[in-house]
Amino acid sequence: MGRCPNIAGTDGVIIAPGRQGSPCVSVPGGVTRYESMKFCFVWITVFLVAPFSGKGQEGTVLKPYTGPSNKGVNCATLDGKVMAGYQGWFTTEGDGLGRGWGHWSKNRRKPFGPGNLTVDLWPDMSEYSEASRHQTEFKLAGGSPATVFSSVDKTVVLKHFQWMREYGVDGAFIQRFANGLNRPDSKLHKDIVLSHAREAANRNGRAYVVMYDLSGMAAGGTERVWEDWRELREKMDITGDPAYLHHNGKPLVSIWGVGFEDYKPRDYTVEECRQLVEKLKADGCSVMLGVPTGWRTLDRDAVADEALHEAIRLADVVSPWTIGRYRDKKSVAKHKEKCLIPDVKWCRDNDLDYLPVVFPGFSWFNLHGGELNAIPREGGQFLWSQMVAAKESGARMIYVAMFDEVDEGTAIFKCTNDVPIGEGVKFLTYEGKDPDHYLRVTGTGRLMLRGKVPATKELPKKLVERGRPNLVP
């Protein structure tokens, strides 16, 4: 798919892609994120501690979890939780999979170095094992090779969930892109990422949820999603897993990408999505729907079809995608009055829970061009202002986008200020903040959501400390 530059929305806001890897589309007041996913999608990930080949392993991943499960967050409800989206889509040369530099580079078959990259942030690699550090063609200021991780390494995912525990992120929505479920290599990737996350959540006392992203899905594809969900329940006993999140007394499953108005109509319909929701509800599940910002008013980035409201009323939780719909504290305040407050009221009137999306900043310079640092992070103030706005609007839960997405500069996990250098090489940094700064901001936001920290306009000077996420700073 062709590139799509950042564009201005109706409020003069830079419009980012619609979602965890979906297309950048120019529509009134917003876009979806399907292009980003299609532009540099990674289709395989694998269960890896030592080098591993995925061949012949398709039937061995989906099985019940029998490892240790440590007590932590209350997995009976989404209420009071701050959850993060988790991609787990990075691969590297030498990770045993043979899929190249997936989601690090534009051409994953060529060396990952200057002129062939898609990421704007660089992960802080100091806590990963030596075996988990894969050398690139980039150089650091001291002349040493810059390294990155592969998501096919189980120890990497375990490390990420360890950070969630240490800083107070309650858990993760594990992305499962529907448009690759029919490809054996792609499905294997999804199965193993989910297996990694399941084990990591159990070991670290975190919650996890399967999130199906429908972006790029063909017409009729919701039937494949339904079949996949049934397979997860039957082979993995996923909803019987102690770390799997429930809500309203039932296992929660998320369907993302319902009702978006793209520059090109999506092949699947709102009616298909409604039927999928009905099946999931009949299967004893709670359902969360990821919808456009304009879902309530049926405008901007949403289809002008009352059928969207009919589908939403069948669900338990609604979560509007807001990446790029505002870019500073002033526009966050405007979004609160225009969208958050009336959205929460609509949901209460219709017996639904409301899960607002917040993000730390945005940049996709190396992925699509345009402006580096398109939506500045402001040292965490931008993220904090959104979390406060969600709390003041009456939301009881928050979704942070994303945990690990360095592609579009929305990651909250540990990233470095010591980025690669060289001619034509440009990366964002955390502007001198410690690598764990945004984990600490997020963890403090969780305490604020629960009423343990004041919802101040300015980011608190004292944030939660590592390993003490429940101790008020």
Side-chain angles (χ1 to χ4, degrees), residues 6-38:
N6 293 322
I7 56 174
T10 54
D11 299 327
V13 179
I14 289 181
I15 297 301
R19 151 112 173 115
Q20 315 62 281
S22 51
C24 167
V25 191
S26 170
V27 298
V31 272
T32 56
R33 268 176 70 180
Y34 170 52
E35 178 189 88
S36 172
M37 172 203 56
K38 197 167 181 181

Side-chain angles (χ1 to χ4, degrees), residues 406-445:
V406 291
D407 314 56
E408 297 174 0
T410 58
I412 61 167
F413 77 164
K414 298 186 182 186
C415 290
T416 184
N417 295 305
D418 183 18
V419 297
I421 61 172
E423 184 177 353
V425 176
K426 293 183 179 180
F427 289 102
L428 290 179
T429 70
Y430 275 0
E431 301 168 330
K433 300 292 184 182
D434 290 337
D436 65 352
H437 180 69
Y438 289 93
L439 290 169
R440 296 178 65 199
V441 173
T442 302
T444 306

